[in-house]
Amino acid sequence: MREGDAVSLVLVTDPFAAERCDWPTIAVWDMCRPFKPHQVVDLGRDWRGERKKKLRYLTRRALAAQRVGPVENPGDYATLLWKFYRRTIDRFGLTGIQAMSEAAIADQLAVPGAALIVAHDEEGPTGAMLCFDHGHTSNSHLLFLSDRAERLGTSYALYYGCLEAAEDRHCRLVNFGSGAGAVDDPGDGLLRFKRRWANREAATWLCGAILDRNRYTELCRQAGTANDDYFPAYRTT
């Protein structure tokens, strides 16, 4: 990447590999620090029975109104998922890299290891969850919801369907990630929802590399910032 036009690189480590990270491994990065713990379900435990009573009730109600399961050809759903995701863009005012295009969604559906779980009611699809498998682990990546999803409790159906489908694919661990933002907010509804499903947490690291130091310095100068707490610093304004 240093030979191309990239200025910097930022990534979050695989939570299932973070425990194997050591100093010689992470010292090559310009920035590396502990990041938000991810919410994980160990499928080897009784994850169904460990859920609290209210979560089990809400899940049963959602599943009574919808059928949920994996699809054979995820790429066929790109246009529909883009329609659902546009609701998310409008609702949260997403911009930049988060405001993906239909082409970006199609590209992700084509990634090896992609697994798409779709929920339907009598009117058609109500939502979907995109996951990526790697060996015996699976990472939940994106949730797509229709305008009927909140009323039907589609998120409950999809989280349950994701775990059942992962079992069928012989996965041992499923990662639901963390909340939105750079730090965990205890009041974040998404994080609270994920914690209700998880039966363990996994550590992650946030790593950043400066690929073109001259351009990086110039971008920071133009942005009027040299914030060491955020990487890349030129994106803090």
Side-chain angles (χ1 to χ4, degrees), residues 5-8 210 212-226 232-237:
D5 294 329
V7 176
S8 63
I210 299 174
D212 187 327
R213 194 164 295 277
N214 289 335
R215 289 176 64 196
Y216 184 92
T217 301
E218 176 59 19
L219 287 171
C220 289
R221 186 193 66 78
Q222 293 176 11
T225 180
Y234 54 79
R235 291 188 58 192
T236 58
T237 59

Side-chain angles (χ1 to χ4, degrees), residues 11-89:
L11 57 81
V12 177
T13 59
D14 180 351
F16 302 125
E19 295 177 357
R20 300 194 298 273
C21 290
D22 54 21
W23 180 247
T25 302
I26 64 178
V28 300
W29 296 86
D30 295 291
M31 182 275 296
C32 193
R33 58 172 175 258
F35 197 46
K36 300 179 295 185
H38 283 201
Q39 305 305 310
V40 171
V41 179
D42 183 341
L43 297 176
R45 293 169 51 175
D46 180 19
W47 62 268
R48 293 176 179 84
E50 288 177 339
R51 294 173 302 146
K52 292 186 177 180
K53 182 177 180 180
K54 185 175 181 179
L55 180 58
R56 296 198 302 269
Y57 164 74
L58 292 171
T59 302
R60 286 196 305 270
R61 188 172 69 175
L63 292 172
Q66 302 155 99
R67 63 185 187 279
V68 60
V71 297
E72 291 186 5
N73 300 302
D76 294 345
Y77 287 79
T79 299
L80 176 66
L81 299 185
W82 167 237
K83 176 183 176 182
F84 289 169
Y85 194 71
R86 287 179 64 181
R87 294 186 64 255
T88 302
I89 293 174

Side-chain angles (χ1 to χ4, degrees), residues 122-133:
E122 294 180 353
E123 298 180 36
T126 57
M129 180 183 284
L130 175 60
C131 303
F132 294 111
D133 291 356

Side-chain angles (χ1 to χ4, degrees), residues 118-201:
V118 180
H120 299 77
D121 67 358
E122 294 180 353
E123 298 180 36
T126 57
M129 180 183 284
L130 175 60
C131 303
F132 294 111
D133 291 356
H134 181 71
H136 292 291
T137 65
S138 185
N139 290 278
S140 171
H141 178 54
L142 282 172
L143 195 66
F144 304 87
L145 298 173
S146 72
D147 55 4
R148 306 191 306 282
E150 186 172 357
R151 172 173 55 85
L152 294 169
T154 301
S155 295
Y156 293 93
L158 287 172
Y159 270 66
Y160 187 88
C162 166
L163 295 175
E164 281 208 322
E167 278 187 328
D168 292 340
R169 298 193 307 273
H170 306 291
C171 293
R172 293 196 293 262
L173 299 167
V174 175
N175 173 31
F176 282 134
S178 190
V183 296
D184 274 341
D185 176 4
D188 177 31
L190 177 60
L191 177 58
R192 293 201 308 270
F193 184 76
K194 291 178 177 181
R195 281 176 169 166
R196 294 169 72 182
W197 292 90
N199 54 25
R200 58 175 280 191
E201 287 188 341

Side-chain angles (χ1 to χ4, degrees), residues 96-124:
I97 195 172
Q98 291 181 315
M100 296 185 300
S101 64
E102 181 176 345
I105 291 174
D107 287 343
Q108 293 178 64
L109 293 171
V111 171
L116 186 67
I117 313 302
V118 180
H120 299 77
D121 67 358
E122 294 180 353
E123 298 180 36

